């Protein structure tokens, strides 16, 4: 298994994994399957752009398919910027 930062070129695979998770475990997410099926691929790619305060990691199986995702976001408050949160694992 390989774990690496995702970027815009991973958008299609990311969207497939996320939609599958939203469909199968909707209670685990703040969004909905119906809402996210309407997102164009360009929007999904923009969500994957790594930055100083957030990034998305992907776990890839030996065959190269994306098996899992996790998002990290840093706290926004200046006093709390040393902390971050993990989402959508």
């Amino acid at each position: 298994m390989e774990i690496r930062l995702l970027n815009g070129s991973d958008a299609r695979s990311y969207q497939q994994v996320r939609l599958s998770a939203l469909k199968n475990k909707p209670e685990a997410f703040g969004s909905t399957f119906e809402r996210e099926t309407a997102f164009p691929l360009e929007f999904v790619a923009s969500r994957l752009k790594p930055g100083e305060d957030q990034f998305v990691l992907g776990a890839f199986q030996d065959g190269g398919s994306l098996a899992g995702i996790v998002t990290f976001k840093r706290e926004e408050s200046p006093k709390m910027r040393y902390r971050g949160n993990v989402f959508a694992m």
Side-chain angles (χ1 to χ4, degrees):
M1 185 158 285
E2 175 190 3
I3 297 175
R4 66 169 174 79
L5 282 173
L6 297 184
N7 58 51
S9 66
D10 299 304
R12 187 170 308 282
S13 296
Y14 170 87
Q15 188 176 42
Q16 289 172 347
V17 169
R18 183 153 171 90
L19 289 175
S20 175
L22 283 163
K23 190 172 191 178
N24 294 317
K25 293 287 183 185
E27 67 278 4
F29 295 87
S31 189
T32 66
F33 176 83
E34 293 76 19
R35 178 176 179 256
E36 295 210 15
T37 55
F39 291 165
L41 201 54
E42 296 78 23
F43 176 76
V44 175
S46 72
R47 291 172 108 182
L48 296 178
K49 184 178 178 185
E52 182 178 312
D53 296 327
Q54 69 181 30
F55 57 86
V56 180
L57 294 174
F60 291 84
Q61 296 177 345
D62 291 337
S65 63
L66 183 60
I69 54 177
V70 63
T71 300
F72 172 84
K73 289 189 179 186
R74 184 186 315 269
E75 291 284 343
E76 293 181 17
S77 166
K79 285 187 165 186
M80 303 297 282
R81 290 192 50 77
Y82 68 93
R83 291 176 46 179
N85 295 292
V86 172
F87 297 95
M89 185 171 180

